[in-house]
Amino acid sequence: EQFNSWATQLLHDFEETDLYLVDNELLFKHVDHAYAIKNWSPDGKSLTRNQEQYLHFWSRMGIWYKALQERLSKKNRLSQAMAFRRLATQMDEIAGNLPWKHVVFAGFNALNQAEQKFIRSLEKRKVASILWDADSYYIDNELNEAGYFMRKFKSKHGISVLKRTGDNFVQTPKNIRITGVAKNTG
């Protein structure tokens, strides 16, 4: 029961490293140092037994990541994030074996590194296109947080990646009615 909350966090961290194509060996080699700093006491007090166990847990993160990969591999399985990493890092072998002539990725906003890499790789091979859920109201306004990921993608990959950007938010007439309702059940 005590480990259950840590396991959830651990699996989440594994997923994030795969989705963002992090060098896991390098990260896991030093992740316990980050947690040690977090638990460091400037007044020189020793760590509690619980804090020491906490640091020991994180120092073994790389071992557990590798063990999970090996166990899933033996069962010929992958987590979703591991599949994304594989797609991104083995695109040359995978691209030639796609059963489709063309793939359309539609309605995206924030893509992680693995998604960006394999989608762009397919686009460059002319076997995929991406249709963003984009509006110039969000993209053209640097202060608008909703367009952050699209602006970042656009600056990295060029203007053509957002060629189908609309201007619907400003141009489309709105009919807004505000109704006051007392209490949550209302």
Side-chain angles (χ1 to χ4, degrees):
E1 186 177 314
Q2 201 173 33
F3 177 74
N4 201 19
S5 65
W6 286 13
T8 301
Q9 179 64 46
L10 187 67
L11 290 173
H12 173 74
D13 289 349
F14 290 168
E15 294 287 297
E16 290 293 303
T17 63
D18 283 335
L19 291 173
Y20 287 91
L21 305 177
V22 172
D23 180 339
N24 289 331
E25 280 190 37
L26 186 61
L27 173 71
F28 296 147
K29 187 173 159 183
H30 299 292
V31 75
D32 59 323
H33 297 171
Y35 284 100
I37 290 169
K38 186 176 172 183
N39 287 294
W40 174 69
S41 175
D43 60 7
K45 282 197 281 184
S46 297
L47 295 176
T48 66
R49 179 164 156 55
N50 191 33
Q51 287 173 318
E52 287 175 0
Q53 288 177 333
Y54 183 73
L55 291 178
H56 180 68
F57 172 83
W58 291 112
S59 72
R60 301 180 53 78
M61 199 169 176
I63 295 167
W64 293 326
Y65 176 81
K66 191 169 268 189
L68 176 63
Q69 280 191 319
E70 289 170 3
R71 187 174 187 144
L72 290 174
S73 179
K74 283 179 186 174
K75 294 180 176 189
N76 202 26
R77 299 210 168 144
L78 297 169
S79 71
Q80 179 180 352
M82 289 167 72
F84 276 51
R85 181 186 282 270
R86 184 172 290 173
L87 278 172
T89 57
Q90 298 177 1
M91 203 61 217
D92 291 334
E93 301 102 68
I94 295 169
N97 296 321
L98 291 176
W100 312 285
K101 290 181 182 178
H102 194 82
V103 179
V104 177
F105 296 93
F108 291 96
N109 178 3
L111 298 173
N112 60 54
Q113 299 302 320
E115 291 168 330
Q116 286 183 41
K117 191 170 180 180
F118 75 78
I119 290 172
R120 289 297 290 159
S121 178
L122 290 174
E123 275 188 311
K124 287 177 183 173
R125 289 177 167 84
K126 307 275 191 241
V127 295
S129 52
I130 185 166
L131 302 174
W132 293 89
D133 185 9
D135 192 282
S136 59
Y137 177 82
Y138 299 106
I139 295 171
D140 297 340
N141 181 354
E142 293 288 324
L143 298 176
N144 194 315
E145 292 178 19
Y148 172 77
F149 289 102
M150 286 185 250
R151 284 192 300 275
K152 190 174 174 183
F153 195 85
K154 180 180 174 181
S155 71
K156 184 177 181 181
H157 300 292
I159 192 142
S160 65
V161 299
L162 294 174
K163 57 185 166 265
R164 292 179 184 89
T165 301
D167 195 18
N168 298 318
F169 191 78
V170 173
Q171 300 296 326
T172 305
K174 313 291 182 290
N175 180 9
I176 300 171
R177 290 186 295 161
I178 298 174
T179 306
V181 179
K183 306 214 180 200
N184 291 341
T185 56

